[in-house]
């Protein structure tokens, strides 16, 4: 009947405009994000690696040289997660290289671990944020399906969150490493321990003692989990 009265287009138009463009855009974005998440959660390792290499879901793809997927033993008991690739990682496509990577290797060695052997290393955000700014929450959100799928494929026994950004992202809190460390947390049912980021430790030597305590706690926790 509306069509016969010539009112259909008018009704449609005005209704949509009243819902507001931004609300429609938010609904559209939620659909896109949900579908992407569901698709990523079906991927195998090869598909996931290709998807991260080609990802254009957030503005960081415009300035990256390489996305940094992560590296290590894909069946590891240990999953160590940093913030986002730095300049050197962006150039190499590998996580934790250079000085910061050396300190991470030393942290692993302190509890008899080696990257690639029962250890997997990755970041919350897979592309380097220019000018070393902290990743935006929206960037972390777009990257989240990749980490979620990595965790599902690896099935680690213990996650180590390195630094404020990783800890806060996993635990959905504003609390700092200083207040989160020394406790056993959980992410999606997986035990999680928080410690300082090696790049912070390079600047704040005094907290290395606390990091050492965290590593001992992590090692003891893993021993208990393996019993
Ligand atoms: N800092 C991080 O958080 N991750 C890296 O891969 C390198 C530096």
């Amino acid at each position: 009947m509306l069509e016969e009265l010539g009112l259909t287009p008018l009704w449609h138009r005005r209704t949509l405009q009243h819902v507001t463009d931004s609300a429609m855009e938010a609904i559209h974005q939620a659909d896109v994000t949900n579908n992407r998440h569901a698709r990523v959660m079906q991927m195998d390792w090869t598909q996931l690696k290709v998807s991260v290499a080609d990802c254009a879901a957030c503005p960081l793809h415009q300035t990256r040289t390489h996305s940094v997927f992560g590296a290590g033993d894909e069946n590891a008991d240990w999953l160590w997660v940093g913030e986002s690739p730095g300049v050197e990682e962006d150039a190499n496509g590998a996580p934790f290289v250079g000085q910061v990577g050396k300190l991470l290797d030393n942290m692993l060695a302190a509890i008899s671990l080696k990257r690639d052997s029962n250890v997997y290393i990755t970041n919350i955000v897979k592309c380097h944020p220019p000018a070393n700014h902290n990743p935006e929450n929206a960037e972390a959100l777009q990257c989240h399906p990749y980490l979620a799928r990595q965790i599902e494929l690896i099935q680690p026994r213990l996650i180590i969150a390195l630094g404020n950004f990783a800890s806060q992202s996993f635990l959905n809190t504003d609390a700092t490493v200083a207040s989160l460390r020394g406790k056993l947390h959980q992410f999606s049912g997986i035990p999680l321990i928080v410690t300082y980021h090696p790049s912070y430790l390079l600047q704040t030597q005094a907290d290395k003692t606390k990091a050492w305590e965290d590593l001992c706690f992590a090692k003891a926790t893993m021993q208990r989990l393996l019993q």
Side-chain angles (χ1 to χ4, degrees):
M1 190 171 85
L2 290 173
E3 219 163 57
E4 278 163 19
L5 293 172
L7 289 176
T8 325
L10 195 63
W11 267 114
H12 252 104
R13 266 224 137 90
R14 294 188 66 187
T15 310
L16 280 178
Q17 273 170 359
H18 274 86
V19 168
T20 78
D21 288 346
S22 62
M24 290 304 290
E25 179 56 21
I27 292 166
H28 173 69
Q29 267 311 325
D31 280 352
V32 171
T33 305
N34 286 340
N35 286 337
R36 213 179 119 249
H37 191 103
R39 260 186 295 113
V40 171
M41 293 311 279
Q42 300 296 317
M43 291 179 181
D44 62 22
W45 277 112
T46 309
Q47 293 165 331
L48 195 60
K49 285 171 191 174
V50 170
S51 183
V52 170
D54 293 345
C55 183
C58 86
L60 295 184
H61 80 279
Q62 292 161 353
T63 46
R64 73 173 177 230
T65 311
H66 296 105
S67 53
V68 179
F69 182 79
D73 179 349
E74 292 173 356
N75 296 306
D77 287 331
W78 294 86
L79 175 64
W80 293 58
V81 184
E83 176 180 316
S84 56
V87 175
E88 288 176 272
E89 290 78 15
D90 178 61
N92 284 276
F96 286 94
V97 296
Q99 281 272 90
V100 177
K102 270 200 195 117
L103 181 51
L104 180 63
D105 287 340
N106 290 343
M107 290 166 76
L108 293 169
I111 49 171
S112 314
L113 293 175
K114 257 184 163 174
R115 63 167 91 197
D116 294 340
S117 172
N118 205 18
V119 173
Y120 196 91
I121 298 171
T122 190
N123 287 297
I124 298 281
V125 170
K126 311 298 190 206
C127 293
H128 171 56
N132 274 335
H133 73 71
N134 272 349
E136 304 288 343
N137 286 340
E139 293 158 358
L141 202 67
Q142 290 299 326
C143 240
H144 177 70
Y146 298 133
L147 181 61
R149 186 60 182 153
Q150 284 175 311
I151 292 173
E152 220 174 66
L153 288 168
I154 298 168
Q155 300 199 342
R157 290 188 189 251
L158 182 60
I159 299 173
I160 308 295
L162 297 164
N164 281 328
F165 186 85
S167 309
Q168 291 167 352
S169 303
F170 273 120
L171 300 174
N172 194 21
T173 175
D174 288 336
T176 60
V177 168
S179 65
L180 295 169
R181 56 180 289 277
K183 298 173 196 140
L184 192 57
H185 303 274
Q186 296 259 326
F187 174 77
S188 283
I190 301 168
L192 180 148
I193 286 174
V194 162
T195 191
Y196 293 102
H197 194 287
S199 62
Y200 167 84
L201 291 172
L202 282 176
Q203 287 154 16
T204 318
Q205 304 274 333
D207 279 339
K208 277 193 172 171
T209 320
K210 291 184 194 153
W212 168 242
E213 289 166 11
D214 298 338
L215 295 174
C216 293
F217 174 46
K219 188 173 182 181
T221 302
M222 180 62 88
Q223 277 165 352
R224 206 165 35 74
L225 291 170
L226 291 174
Q227 273 168 10

